[in-house]
Amino acid sequence: SQKIEQNSEALNIQEGKTATLTCNYTNYSPAYLQWYRQDPGRGPVFLLLIRENEKEKRKERLKVTFDTTLKQSLFHITASQPADSATYLCALDDNQGGKLIFGQGTELSVKP
Amino acid sequence: NAGVTQTPKFQVLKTGQSMTLQCAQDMNHNSMYWYRQDPGMGLRLIYYSASEGTTDKGEVPNGYNVSRLNKREFSLRLESAAPSQTSVYFCASSEQSVSYNEQFFGPGTRLTVL
């Protein structure tokens, strides 16, 4: 079965720097990969989707890459701000009809 | 639009008690999902409903039942709660049950079973 690994340790960075979060998967390459943001005490919120034939996707200060050879997706936040502090989840399709498998998330803390 | 709403927000049960978690969406979505989130485990799918009138098991269905009451509402029932079911429960919806559709999540129900 598919396994997803995200940085288990929290990522602490300085305001203005670029944050890079990693999502690794172990089995088949998914057709789609999604990234969500989750604030404490709230439900996840969708950020970006990238398809297997796309190497990179951008949305404002966010950039996602998808490397099917490395079985890895990287999620970048450029010019990070304290308001970007949250937990970020990656999710892959389960290859069985559209359900998503979520990683455990990486907590990002941006210090002023 | 309220999006996805869940009730209650918090609940404390004793072992063996039963309860139903309610979920409703106002986005006219076909597909709805129930997840549980535990520390270090990520979101795990309990049950989902690809469309009105259908329900299917997810990764961790044991101890739960669901009802897709209509297109808007999808409830999750714990018949005999156990301490292992202490968790945060999220309901979500999407236009279709396909992996390129984003999922919209509710605010969650925090359940403690003593």
Side-chain angles (χ1 to χ4, degrees):
Chain A
S1 61
Q2 185 72 283
K3 289 195 189 304
I4 303 171
E5 293 177 1
Q6 295 187 251
N7 313 59
S8 56
E9 294 184 7
L11 182 62
N12 297 302
I13 65 167
Q14 206 66 32
E15 183 176 8
K17 301 293 186 184
T18 296
T20 298
L21 285 67
T22 304
C23 176
N24 296 303
Y25 56 92
T26 59
N27 202 346
Y28 58 86
S29 276
Y32 306 93
L33 190 150
Q34 301 187 21
W35 283 89
Y36 288 77
R37 169 184 172 138
Q38 186 174 21
D39 291 287
R42 309 191 77 155
V45 175
F46 172 80
L47 295 175
L48 280 168
L49 176 144
I50 187 166
R51 293 171 168 76
E52 63 177 336
N53 60 351
E54 296 177 315
K55 297 291 187 204
E56 182 179 298
K57 196 81 167 280
R58 292 176 184 261
K59 180 182 176 182
E60 297 173 352
R61 294 185 295 111
L62 309 181
K63 184 178 85 172
V64 172
T65 62
F66 195 0
D67 189 327
T68 56
T69 302
L70 292 179
K71 297 189 175 183
Q72 180 181 82
S73 174
L74 298 178
F75 177 82
H76 306 271
I77 306 175
T78 58
S80 59
Q81 304 165 1
D84 295 325
S85 298
T87 295
Y88 293 85
L89 309 170
C90 72
L92 317 177
D93 73 86
D94 72 341
N95 209 31
Q96 295 179 20
K99 301 187 296 295
L100 292 178
I101 303 171
F102 283 84
Q104 80 273 31
T106 298
E107 184 180 349
L108 172 67
S109 178
V110 181
K111 303 295 184 188
Chain B
N1 286 354
V4 178
T5 57
Q6 293 183 236
T7 55
K9 286 186 166 46
F10 300 93
Q11 185 71 49
V12 178
L13 293 177
K14 294 181 179 178
T15 297
Q17 288 185 315
S18 63
M19 78 162 295
T20 299
L21 282 65
Q22 307 286 355
C23 173
Q25 52 90 11
D26 63 0
M27 295 172 281
N28 201 35
H29 285 168
N30 289 298
S31 303
M32 298 185 73
Y33 312 83
W34 276 105
Y35 293 91
R36 61 178 288 173
Q37 187 173 40
D38 302 292
M41 298 289 289
L43 286 161
R44 291 184 292 169
L45 184 65
I46 305 171
Y47 271 93
Y48 70 103
S49 171
S51 60
E52 186 179 355
T54 70
T55 60
D56 285 289
K57 295 178 180 179
E59 181 187 355
V60 288
N62 291 346
Y64 305 95
N65 284 301
V66 290
S67 295
R68 184 74 183 266
L69 304 169
N70 48 55
K71 192 171 186 179
R72 289 187 64 248
E73 298 172 287
F74 189 38
S75 63
L76 178 72
R77 183 159 178 83
L78 286 70
E79 290 291 351
S80 179
S84 61
Q85 294 178 305
T86 293
S87 188
V88 181
Y89 292 85
F90 288 102
C91 177
S93 70
S94 63
E95 285 189 22
Q96 303 288 345
S97 178
V98 289
S99 51
Y100 53 82
N101 274 178
E102 65 180 279
Q103 293 188 11
F104 294 80
F105 285 82
T109 294
R110 281 140 191 85
L111 175 66
T112 300
V113 183
L114 303 175

Short mmCIF file of all heavy atoms in Angstrom, two decimals, chain B residues 53-109:
data_model
loop_
_atom_site.label_atom_id
_atom_site.label_comp_id
_atom_site.label_asym_id
_atom_site.label_seq_id
_atom_site.Cartn_x
_atom_site.Cartn_y
_atom_site.Cartn_z
N GLY B 53 -26.80 8.02 -1.93
CA GLY B 53 -27.29 6.65 -2.01
C GLY B 53 -26.21 5.59 -1.95
O GLY B 53 -26.51 4.39 -1.91
N THR B 54 -24.94 6.01 -1.95
CA THR B 54 -23.84 5.03 -1.87
C THR B 54 -22.92 5.37 -0.72
O THR B 54 -22.67 6.55 -0.43
CB THR B 54 -23.01 4.99 -3.17
OG1 THR B 54 -22.27 6.19 -3.28
CG2 THR B 54 -23.89 4.80 -4.38
N THR B 55 -22.40 4.35 -0.05
CA THR B 55 -21.37 4.54 0.97
C THR B 55 -20.37 3.40 0.86
O THR B 55 -20.74 2.28 0.47
CB THR B 55 -21.95 4.57 2.40
OG1 THR B 55 -22.60 3.33 2.67
CG2 THR B 55 -22.93 5.72 2.58
N ASP B 56 -19.12 3.69 1.19
CA ASP B 56 -18.06 2.67 1.13
C ASP B 56 -17.09 2.85 2.28
O ASP B 56 -16.92 3.96 2.79
CB ASP B 56 -17.28 2.77 -0.19
CG ASP B 56 -18.07 2.21 -1.35
OD1 ASP B 56 -18.23 0.98 -1.39
OD2 ASP B 56 -18.52 3.00 -2.18
N LYS B 57 -16.47 1.73 2.65
CA LYS B 57 -15.51 1.77 3.74
C LYS B 57 -14.22 2.41 3.28
O LYS B 57 -13.80 2.25 2.14
CB LYS B 57 -15.23 0.35 4.23
CG LYS B 57 -16.43 -0.33 4.86
CD LYS B 57 -16.09 -1.75 5.28
CE LYS B 57 -17.31 -2.43 5.91
NZ LYS B 57 -17.02 -3.82 6.30
N GLY B 58 -13.58 3.08 4.23
CA GLY B 58 -12.26 3.61 4.00
C GLY B 58 -11.22 2.76 4.70
O GLY B 58 -11.38 1.55 4.82
N GLU B 59 -10.20 3.40 5.19
CA GLU B 59 -9.06 2.70 5.80
C GLU B 59 -9.38 2.16 7.19
O GLU B 59 -8.91 1.09 7.57
CB GLU B 59 -7.87 3.65 5.88
CG GLU B 59 -6.60 3.07 6.48
CD GLU B 59 -5.51 4.12 6.67
OE1 GLU B 59 -5.71 5.29 6.25
OE2 GLU B 59 -4.47 3.79 7.27
N VAL B 60 -10.19 2.89 7.97
CA VAL B 60 -10.42 2.51 9.38
C VAL B 60 -11.92 2.53 9.71
O VAL B 60 -12.36 3.32 10.55
CB VAL B 60 -9.63 3.44 10.34
CG1 VAL B 60 -8.15 3.13 10.28
CG2 VAL B 60 -9.90 4.92 10.03
N PRO B 61 -12.73 1.64 9.14
CA PRO B 61 -14.18 1.69 9.33
C PRO B 61 -14.72 1.01 10.60
O PRO B 61 -15.86 1.24 10.98
CB PRO B 61 -14.70 0.97 8.10
CG PRO B 61 -13.64 -0.06 7.82
CD PRO B 61 -12.33 0.61 8.17
N ASN B 62 -13.89 0.17 11.23
CA ASN B 62 -14.40 -0.64 12.34
C ASN B 62 -14.87 0.23 13.50
O ASN B 62 -14.17 1.12 13.96
CB ASN B 62 -13.33 -1.61 12.82
CG ASN B 62 -13.04 -2.69 11.80
OD1 ASN B 62 -13.80 -2.88 10.86
ND2 ASN B 62 -11.94 -3.39 11.97
N GLY B 63 -16.08 -0.06 13.98
CA GLY B 63 -16.65 0.67 15.10
C GLY B 63 -17.51 1.84 14.69
O GLY B 63 -18.04 2.56 15.55
N TYR B 64 -17.64 2.06 13.39
CA TYR B 64 -18.40 3.20 12.87
C TYR B 64 -19.44 2.74 11.85
O TYR B 64 -19.28 1.73 11.18
CB TYR B 64 -17.47 4.19 12.16
CG TYR B 64 -16.32 4.69 12.99
CD1 TYR B 64 -15.07 4.07 12.90
CD2 TYR B 64 -16.46 5.78 13.84
CE1 TYR B 64 -14.00 4.53 13.64
CE2 TYR B 64 -15.39 6.24 14.59
CZ TYR B 64 -14.16 5.60 14.48
OH TYR B 64 -13.09 6.06 15.22
N ASN B 65 -20.50 3.54 11.73
CA ASN B 65 -21.47 3.38 10.65
C ASN B 65 -21.78 4.77 10.09
O ASN B 65 -21.61 5.77 10.79
CB ASN B 65 -22.77 2.73 11.14
CG ASN B 65 -22.60 1.24 11.34
OD1 ASN B 65 -22.26 0.52 10.41
ND2 ASN B 65 -22.80 0.78 12.56
N VAL B 66 -22.23 4.82 8.85
CA VAL B 66 -22.54 6.10 8.24
C VAL B 66 -23.90 6.03 7.56
O VAL B 66 -24.40 4.94 7.24
CB VAL B 66 -21.48 6.53 7.20
CG1 VAL B 66 -20.17 6.90 7.87
CG2 VAL B 66 -21.30 5.45 6.14
N SER B 67 -24.46 7.22 7.36
CA SER B 67 -25.70 7.35 6.61
C SER B 67 -25.60 8.57 5.72
O SER B 67 -25.29 9.66 6.22
CB SER B 67 -26.91 7.51 7.55
OG SER B 67 -27.11 6.36 8.31
N ARG B 68 -25.83 8.38 4.41
CA ARG B 68 -25.93 9.53 3.52
C ARG B 68 -27.42 9.85 3.44
O ARG B 68 -28.17 9.26 2.66
CB ARG B 68 -25.37 9.19 2.13
CG ARG B 68 -25.35 10.37 1.16
CD ARG B 68 -24.28 11.36 1.49
NE ARG B 68 -24.29 12.53 0.64
CZ ARG B 68 -23.56 12.66 -0.47
NH1 ARG B 68 -22.77 11.67 -0.86
NH2 ARG B 68 -23.63 13.76 -1.16
N LEU B 69 -27.83 10.78 4.26
CA LEU B 69 -29.25 11.08 4.44
C LEU B 69 -29.87 11.68 3.19
O LEU B 69 -31.02 11.40 2.84
CB LEU B 69 -29.42 12.02 5.63
CG LEU B 69 -28.79 11.51 6.94
CD1 LEU B 69 -28.77 12.60 7.99
CD2 LEU B 69 -29.54 10.29 7.44
N ASN B 70 -29.13 12.52 2.52
CA ASN B 70 -29.54 13.16 1.27
C ASN B 70 -28.26 13.73 0.66
O ASN B 70 -27.16 13.48 1.16
CB ASN B 70 -30.60 14.25 1.50
CG ASN B 70 -30.22 15.17 2.64
OD1 ASN B 70 -29.12 15.75 2.61
ND2 ASN B 70 -31.07 15.28 3.64
N LYS B 71 -28.37 14.52 -0.39
CA LYS B 71 -27.16 15.01 -1.03
C LYS B 71 -26.37 15.91 -0.09
O LYS B 71 -25.15 15.97 -0.15
CB LYS B 71 -27.50 15.77 -2.31
CG LYS B 71 -26.29 16.06 -3.17
CD LYS B 71 -26.69 16.62 -4.51
CE LYS B 71 -25.45 16.76 -5.40
NZ LYS B 71 -25.78 17.28 -6.74
N ARG B 72 -27.02 16.61 0.81
CA ARG B 72 -26.36 17.58 1.67
C ARG B 72 -25.74 16.97 2.92
O ARG B 72 -24.75 17.48 3.43
CB ARG B 72 -27.37 18.64 2.14
CG ARG B 72 -27.84 19.62 1.11
CD ARG B 72 -28.70 20.69 1.76
NE ARG B 72 -27.94 21.49 2.73
CZ ARG B 72 -28.13 21.47 4.05
NH1 ARG B 72 -29.04 20.68 4.60
NH2 ARG B 72 -27.41 22.24 4.84
N GLU B 73 -26.33 15.89 3.44
CA GLU B 73 -25.98 15.44 4.79
C GLU B 73 -25.38 14.04 4.83
O GLU B 73 -25.86 13.11 4.15
CB GLU B 73 -27.24 15.48 5.66
CG GLU B 73 -27.83 16.87 5.82
CD GLU B 73 -29.16 16.83 6.53
OE1 GLU B 73 -30.16 16.39 5.92
OE2 GLU B 73 -29.20 17.22 7.72
N PHE B 74 -24.36 13.90 5.67
CA PHE B 74 -23.63 12.63 5.81
C PHE B 74 -23.29 12.49 7.28
O PHE B 74 -22.50 13.27 7.81
CB PHE B 74 -22.39 12.68 4.93
CG PHE B 74 -21.63 11.39 4.79
CD1 PHE B 74 -22.28 10.18 4.69
CD2 PHE B 74 -20.24 11.40 4.71
CE1 PHE B 74 -21.58 8.99 4.53
CE2 PHE B 74 -19.52 10.22 4.53
CZ PHE B 74 -20.20 9.02 4.44
N SER B 75 -23.87 11.51 7.95
CA SER B 75 -23.66 11.37 9.39
C SER B 75 -22.79 10.17 9.71
O SER B 75 -22.75 9.18 8.97
CB SER B 75 -25.00 11.26 10.12
OG SER B 75 -25.68 10.08 9.71
N LEU B 76 -22.09 10.26 10.83
CA LEU B 76 -21.20 9.20 11.30
C LEU B 76 -21.68 8.77 12.68
O LEU B 76 -21.84 9.59 13.57
CB LEU B 76 -19.76 9.71 11.40
CG LEU B 76 -18.71 8.75 11.93
CD1 LEU B 76 -18.41 7.66 10.89
CD2 LEU B 76 -17.42 9.50 12.29
N ARG B 77 -21.89 7.48 12.88
CA ARG B 77 -22.42 6.97 14.14
C ARG B 77 -21.42 6.06 14.82
O ARG B 77 -20.84 5.16 14.16
CB ARG B 77 -23.74 6.25 13.94
CG ARG B 77 -24.38 5.77 15.25
CD ARG B 77 -25.84 5.52 15.13
NE ARG B 77 -26.40 5.02 16.39
CZ ARG B 77 -26.77 5.80 17.41
NH1 ARG B 77 -26.64 7.13 17.33
NH2 ARG B 77 -27.27 5.27 18.52
N LEU B 78 -21.24 6.30 16.11
CA LEU B 78 -20.47 5.39 16.96
C LEU B 78 -21.49 4.65 17.81
O LEU B 78 -22.19 5.26 18.63
CB LEU B 78 -19.51 6.17 17.86
CG LEU B 78 -18.26 6.78 17.24
CD1 LEU B 78 -18.61 7.96 16.33
CD2 LEU B 78 -17.30 7.21 18.33
N GLU B 79 -21.62 3.36 17.61
CA GLU B 79 -22.66 2.59 18.31
C GLU B 79 -22.28 2.32 19.76
O GLU B 79 -23.11 2.37 20.65
CB GLU B 79 -22.90 1.26 17.60
CG GLU B 79 -23.58 1.39 16.25
CD GLU B 79 -25.04 1.85 16.36
OE1 GLU B 79 -25.60 1.90 17.49
OE2 GLU B 79 -25.64 2.15 15.32
N SER B 80 -21.01 2.02 20.01
CA SER B 80 -20.54 1.71 21.35
C SER B 80 -19.13 2.26 21.47
O SER B 80 -18.16 1.60 21.10
CB SER B 80 -20.57 0.20 21.60
OG SER B 80 -20.10 -0.10 22.90
N ALA B 81 -19.03 3.51 21.95
CA ALA B 81 -17.75 4.21 21.91
C ALA B 81 -16.69 3.52 22.76
O ALA B 81 -16.97 2.97 23.84
CB ALA B 81 -17.94 5.64 22.38
N ALA B 82 -15.46 3.58 22.26
CA ALA B 82 -14.30 3.02 22.96
C ALA B 82 -13.23 4.10 23.09
O ALA B 82 -13.18 5.01 22.25
CB ALA B 82 -13.74 1.83 22.18
N PRO B 83 -12.38 4.02 24.11
CA PRO B 83 -11.32 5.03 24.28
C PRO B 83 -10.45 5.20 23.02
O PRO B 83 -9.96 6.29 22.76
CB PRO B 83 -10.51 4.50 25.45
CG PRO B 83 -11.52 3.75 26.28
CD PRO B 83 -12.42 3.09 25.26
N SER B 84 -10.29 4.12 22.24
CA SER B 84 -9.49 4.20 21.01
C SER B 84 -10.13 5.11 19.95
O SER B 84 -9.49 5.46 18.96
CB SER B 84 -9.28 2.81 20.41
OG SER B 84 -10.54 2.23 20.08
N GLN B 85 -11.38 5.48 20.16
CA GLN B 85 -12.06 6.37 19.22
C GLN B 85 -11.94 7.84 19.63
O GLN B 85 -12.51 8.71 18.97
CB GLN B 85 -13.53 5.97 19.08
CG GLN B 85 -13.69 4.60 18.43
CD GLN B 85 -15.14 4.15 18.32
OE1 GLN B 85 -15.87 4.10 19.31
NE2 GLN B 85 -15.55 3.82 17.11
N THR B 86 -11.20 8.10 20.68
CA THR B 86 -10.87 9.48 21.03
C THR B 86 -10.03 10.06 19.90
O THR B 86 -8.98 9.52 19.55
CB THR B 86 -10.07 9.53 22.35
OG1 THR B 86 -10.93 9.11 23.41
CG2 THR B 86 -9.55 10.94 22.61
N SER B 87 -10.51 11.14 19.32
CA SER B 87 -9.87 11.68 18.12
C SER B 87 -10.56 12.98 17.72
O SER B 87 -11.52 13.42 18.35
CB SER B 87 -9.97 10.66 16.98
OG SER B 87 -9.20 11.07 15.86
N VAL B 88 -10.02 13.60 16.67
CA VAL B 88 -10.71 14.72 16.03
C VAL B 88 -11.29 14.20 14.72
O VAL B 88 -10.55 13.60 13.91
CB VAL B 88 -9.77 15.90 15.77
CG1 VAL B 88 -10.54 17.06 15.14
CG2 VAL B 88 -9.10 16.36 17.07
N TYR B 89 -12.56 14.41 14.51
CA TYR B 89 -13.25 13.90 13.33
C TYR B 89 -13.56 15.04 12.37
O TYR B 89 -14.12 16.07 12.76
CB TYR B 89 -14.54 13.20 13.74
CG TYR B 89 -14.28 11.92 14.50
CD1 TYR B 89 -14.05 11.94 15.87
CD2 TYR B 89 -14.21 10.70 13.83
CE1 TYR B 89 -13.79 10.77 16.57
CE2 TYR B 89 -13.95 9.52 14.51
CZ TYR B 89 -13.73 9.57 15.89
OH TYR B 89 -13.44 8.41 16.56
N PHE B 90 -13.17 14.85 11.12
CA PHE B 90 -13.43 15.85 10.09
C PHE B 90 -14.33 15.26 9.01
O PHE B 90 -14.11 14.14 8.54
CB PHE B 90 -12.13 16.31 9.44
CG PHE B 90 -11.29 17.18 10.33
CD1 PHE B 90 -10.19 16.65 10.98
CD2 PHE B 90 -11.59 18.52 10.50
CE1 PHE B 90 -9.40 17.43 11.81
CE2 PHE B 90 -10.81 19.33 11.32
CZ PHE B 90 -9.72 18.77 11.98
N CYS B 91 -15.28 16.05 8.61
CA CYS B 91 -16.11 15.75 7.45
C CYS B 91 -15.60 16.60 6.30
O CYS B 91 -15.12 17.73 6.50
CB CYS B 91 -17.56 16.08 7.76
SG CYS B 91 -18.70 15.84 6.39
N ALA B 92 -15.65 16.06 5.09
CA ALA B 92 -15.21 16.80 3.91
C ALA B 92 -16.15 16.49 2.75
O ALA B 92 -16.88 15.49 2.76
CB ALA B 92 -13.77 16.43 3.54
N SER B 93 -16.11 17.36 1.74
CA SER B 93 -16.90 17.12 0.54
C SER B 93 -16.10 17.53 -0.68
O SER B 93 -15.16 18.33 -0.60
CB SER B 93 -18.22 17.88 0.59
OG SER B 93 -18.03 19.27 0.46
N SER B 94 -16.47 16.97 -1.83
CA SER B 94 -15.87 17.36 -3.10
C SER B 94 -16.92 17.19 -4.20
O SER B 94 -17.89 16.46 -4.03
CB SER B 94 -14.62 16.54 -3.42
OG SER B 94 -14.95 15.17 -3.57
N GLU B 95 -16.68 17.86 -5.33
CA GLU B 95 -17.65 17.78 -6.41
C GLU B 95 -17.89 16.35 -6.84
O GLU B 95 -19.02 15.91 -7.02
CB GLU B 95 -17.15 18.60 -7.61
CG GLU B 95 -17.28 20.09 -7.44
CD GLU B 95 -16.99 20.85 -8.73
OE1 GLU B 95 -17.10 20.24 -9.82
OE2 GLU B 95 -16.63 22.02 -8.64
N GLN B 96 -16.79 15.64 -7.07
CA GLN B 96 -16.87 14.23 -7.43
C GLN B 96 -15.83 13.48 -6.62
O GLN B 96 -14.91 14.08 -6.08
CB GLN B 96 -16.58 14.03 -8.93
CG GLN B 96 -17.47 14.79 -9.87
CD GLN B 96 -18.88 14.24 -9.94
OE1 GLN B 96 -19.14 13.12 -9.49
NE2 GLN B 96 -19.78 15.02 -10.49
N SER B 97 -15.95 12.17 -6.60
CA SER B 97 -14.96 11.35 -5.90
C SER B 97 -13.81 11.01 -6.86
O SER B 97 -13.62 9.87 -7.24
CB SER B 97 -15.61 10.07 -5.39
OG SER B 97 -14.65 9.26 -4.75
N VAL B 98 -13.10 12.06 -7.26
CA VAL B 98 -11.94 11.88 -8.13
C VAL B 98 -10.77 12.63 -7.52
O VAL B 98 -10.97 13.63 -6.84
CB VAL B 98 -12.20 12.41 -9.56
CG1 VAL B 98 -13.18 11.50 -10.27
CG2 VAL B 98 -12.70 13.84 -9.54
N SER B 99 -9.58 12.16 -7.76
CA SER B 99 -8.44 12.67 -7.01
C SER B 99 -7.96 14.03 -7.49
O SER B 99 -7.08 14.61 -6.87
CB SER B 99 -7.29 11.67 -7.05
OG SER B 99 -7.04 11.29 -8.37
N TYR B 100 -8.54 14.57 -8.58
CA TYR B 100 -8.16 15.92 -8.98
C TYR B 100 -9.13 16.96 -8.45
O TYR B 100 -8.99 18.14 -8.73
CB TYR B 100 -8.02 16.04 -10.50
CG TYR B 100 -9.21 15.56 -11.29
CD1 TYR B 100 -10.31 16.37 -11.49
CD2 TYR B 100 -9.20 14.29 -11.86
CE1 TYR B 100 -11.39 15.92 -12.21
CE2 TYR B 100 -10.29 13.84 -12.58
CZ TYR B 100 -11.39 14.66 -12.76
OH TYR B 100 -12.45 14.21 -13.48
N ASN B 101 -10.14 16.51 -7.71
CA ASN B 101 -11.05 17.46 -7.06
C ASN B 101 -10.53 17.80 -5.68
O ASN B 101 -10.20 16.90 -4.90
CB ASN B 101 -12.44 16.86 -6.92
CG ASN B 101 -13.30 17.05 -8.15
OD1 ASN B 101 -14.43 16.58 -8.19
ND2 ASN B 101 -12.79 17.73 -9.15
N GLU B 102 -10.46 19.07 -5.35
CA GLU B 102 -10.09 19.45 -4.01
C GLU B 102 -11.21 19.07 -3.05
O GLU B 102 -12.38 19.01 -3.43
CB GLU B 102 -9.83 20.95 -3.93
CG GLU B 102 -11.05 21.81 -4.19
CD GLU B 102 -10.73 23.29 -4.11
OE1 GLU B 102 -10.68 23.80 -2.98
OE2 GLU B 102 -10.56 23.90 -5.16
N GLN B 103 -10.81 18.80 -1.81
CA GLN B 103 -11.79 18.49 -0.79
C GLN B 103 -11.94 19.70 0.14
O GLN B 103 -10.95 20.36 0.48
CB GLN B 103 -11.37 17.25 0.00
CG GLN B 103 -11.41 16.00 -0.86
CD GLN B 103 -11.20 14.71 -0.09
OE1 GLN B 103 -11.21 14.70 1.14
NE2 GLN B 103 -11.01 13.62 -0.81
N PHE B 104 -13.17 19.96 0.55
CA PHE B 104 -13.49 21.06 1.46
C PHE B 104 -13.82 20.44 2.82
O PHE B 104 -14.68 19.55 2.89
CB PHE B 104 -14.70 21.84 0.94
CG PHE B 104 -14.43 22.57 -0.35
CD1 PHE B 104 -14.46 21.90 -1.56
CD2 PHE B 104 -14.12 23.91 -0.35
CE1 PHE B 104 -14.20 22.55 -2.76
CE2 PHE B 104 -13.87 24.59 -1.55
CZ PHE B 104 -13.91 23.90 -2.74
N PHE B 105 -13.16 20.91 3.84
CA PHE B 105 -13.29 20.32 5.16
C PHE B 105 -14.14 21.18 6.09
O PHE B 105 -14.14 22.42 6.00
CB PHE B 105 -11.91 20.13 5.80
CG PHE B 105 -11.14 18.99 5.22
CD1 PHE B 105 -10.45 19.13 4.03
CD2 PHE B 105 -11.12 17.75 5.86
CE1 PHE B 105 -9.75 18.06 3.47
CE2 PHE B 105 -10.41 16.69 5.32
CZ PHE B 105 -9.73 16.84 4.13
N GLY B 106 -14.81 20.50 7.01
CA GLY B 106 -15.50 21.18 8.09
C GLY B 106 -14.53 21.51 9.21
O GLY B 106 -13.35 21.18 9.15
N PRO B 107 -15.03 22.15 10.28
CA PRO B 107 -14.16 22.60 11.38
C PRO B 107 -13.77 21.49 12.34
O PRO B 107 -12.88 21.69 13.17
CB PRO B 107 -15.02 23.64 12.10
CG PRO B 107 -16.42 23.22 11.82
CD PRO B 107 -16.41 22.64 10.45
N GLY B 108 -14.39 20.33 12.25
CA GLY B 108 -14.01 19.21 13.10
C GLY B 108 -14.86 19.05 14.35
O GLY B 108 -15.47 20.02 14.83
N THR B 109 -14.90 17.83 14.84
CA THR B 109 -15.53 17.49 16.13
C THR B 109 -14.47 16.83 16.99
O THR B 109 -13.86 15.84 16.57
CB THR B 109 -16.71 16.52 15.94
OG1 THR B 109 -17.76 17.15 15.23
CG2 THR B 109 -17.23 16.06 17.31
#
